[in-house]
Amino acid sequence: MRVVFQETPEQVGVWAARTVARRILDYKPTARKPFVLGLPTGSSPLGMYKELIRLNKRGKISFANVVTFNMDEYVGLDPDHPQSYHRFMWDHFFGHIDIKKKNANILDGLASDLGKECLSYEKRIESYGGISLFVGGIGEDGHLAFNEPGSSLQSRTRIKTLTDDTRKVNARFFGGNFEKVPKLALTVGVGTIMAADEVMILVTGFNKARALQKTVEEGVNHMWTASVLQLHRHALIVADTAAANELKVGTYHYFRSVEAGHFDPDSILKG
């Protein structure tokens, strides 16, 4: 596991975006062999999306041969609902870049057969040979996507009942009304994320500090699902200094020291 620290959430977003761009450029995707990218919603990736849009508009990176799979979607929300993840992605990212609409995959929370929709999603991922890079965030309780504490660490895309804690956190997006937050969601599984060639998780803010500490310093535990990243062959966490607040001083300095000589995110702007 790599842990990269940046000073601010904005710097986390820029660093992550340039890492995504570098992976795509190095892959040299074509229409027949697209780069497959897993993506999150929420506040954590907004800075990354902003920087990727900027790089796309400057001609530094193209998404014409990129296929995306989003982590999750609420059950029961129309794609045009202001708080649906379909709407989020098109408002904050897809609508501003050169991605083909057919290549942007998001779970259908209105599917007549939700179980079948989940199975179909896994098959679509498999049809592309799997996901090259899965980007995500973690919840305050360490959950990945909507894989709440106690989720199977080998789970695949499925229907999940959301905990009250998760619904309370997300109520801010629904005018502060807890009752308006859907009780069910469709989500990729922990196993789906772990099957990706590389996983990059963005962690910002003091409220995520305990989750980062559990993920990095303690053992693998299904009550802190993000801790499973310890078992991934290419796991990368990008965190701001606020999120590092509960790490041991030695842990923080260790990861800072091993980053010397690693990838320079500004290299994407050179040449």
Side-chain angles (χ1 to χ4, degrees), residues 39-42 69-75 84-86 89 105-109 121 134 143-147 157-158 162 185-188:
L39 293 174
T41 55
F69 286 89
N70 262 77
M71 280 188 155
D72 40 32
E73 178 59 288
Y74 288 116
V75 170
S84 79
Y85 291 158
H86 279 76
M89 292 305 300
N105 295 278
I106 306 177
L107 285 154
D108 182 4
Y121 205 66
F134 219 134
H143 69 254
L144 289 172
F146 274 133
N147 294 288
T157 304
R158 67 209 190 286
L162 303 182
L186 303 183
T187 182
V188 296

Side-chain angles (χ1 to χ4, degrees), residues 7 13 47 64 126 135 138 142 151 195-196 215 223 226:
E7 294 301 316
E126 291 175 11
V135 183
I138 61 174
S151 293
T215 297
M223 296 306 293

Side-chain angles (χ1 to χ4, degrees), residues 11-257:
Q11 290 173 337
V12 167
V14 169
W15 199 97
R18 295 179 184 179
T19 299
V20 170
R22 174 52 59 195
R23 297 295 190 272
I24 294 171
L25 289 172
D26 289 347
Y27 189 86
K28 298 180 176 61
T30 64
R32 290 189 174 184
K33 189 183 178 184
F35 185 87
V36 186
L37 179 63
L39 293 174
T41 55
S43 57
S44 295
L46 286 176
M48 180 185 74
Y49 291 147
K50 181 179 179 180
E51 177 67 4
L52 285 172
I53 290 167
R54 192 179 74 88
L55 292 174
N56 180 245
K57 292 189 181 301
R58 289 187 60 187
K60 295 293 184 179
I61 186 68
S62 171
F63 293 89
N65 293 318
V66 173
V67 171
T68 64
F69 286 89
N70 262 77
M71 280 188 155
D72 40 32
E73 178 59 288
Y74 288 116
V75 170
L77 294 190
D78 186 275
D80 289 328
H81 188 285
Q83 299 309 324
S84 79
Y85 291 158
H86 279 76
R87 178 75 174 270
F88 178 98
M89 292 305 300
W90 285 98
D91 284 353
H92 294 287
F93 190 41
F94 295 151
H96 307 279
I97 60 173
D98 61 339
I99 193 169
K100 297 179 178 69
K101 188 172 183 178
K102 67 178 182 179
N103 286 345
N105 295 278
I106 306 177
L107 285 154
D108 182 4
L110 292 180
S112 58
D113 187 331
L114 295 175
K116 185 176 181 180
E117 169 66 9
C118 294
L119 289 173
S120 174
Y121 205 66
E122 285 284 339
K123 288 179 180 178
R124 267 181 279 165
I125 293 173
E126 291 175 11
S127 73
Y128 287 100
I131 292 173
S132 296
L133 170 62
F134 219 134
V135 183
I138 61 174
E140 294 179 23
D141 58 6
H143 69 254
L144 289 172
F146 274 133
N147 294 288
E148 307 280 22
S151 293
S152 166
L153 300 184
Q154 295 186 351
S155 57
R156 292 287 177 164
T157 304
R158 67 209 190 286
I159 309 164
K160 280 292 290 182
T161 300
L162 303 182
T163 65
D164 284 351
D165 285 345
T166 294
R167 294 177 65 220
K168 287 174 183 175
V169 169
N170 289 351
R172 69 188 189 277
F173 301 117
F174 291 81
N177 191 334
F178 169 78
E179 295 302 327
K180 289 186 177 181
V181 183
K183 295 180 180 180
L184 298 175
L186 303 183
T187 182
V188 296
V190 181
T192 311
I193 297 168
M194 290 291 286
D197 293 336
E198 182 177 9
V199 179
M200 179 168 67
I201 300 299
L202 314 182
V203 190
T204 59
F206 288 108
N207 61 324
K208 303 291 180 71
R210 186 167 182 238
L212 181 63
Q213 186 272 327
K214 292 285 186 179
T215 297
V216 172
E217 293 185 340
E218 297 192 12
V220 176
N221 186 334
H222 70 165
M223 296 306 293
W224 294 87
T225 52
S227 66
V228 75
L229 294 170
Q230 296 175 31
L231 303 179
H232 197 282
R233 59 197 178 282
H234 295 299
L236 168 62
I237 294 175
V238 191
D240 67 359
T241 51
N245 195 52
E246 293 198 20
L247 292 177
K248 295 176 183 176
V249 173
T251 301
Y252 177 78
H253 286 298
Y254 168 76
F255 282 112
R256 291 296 295 246
S257 69

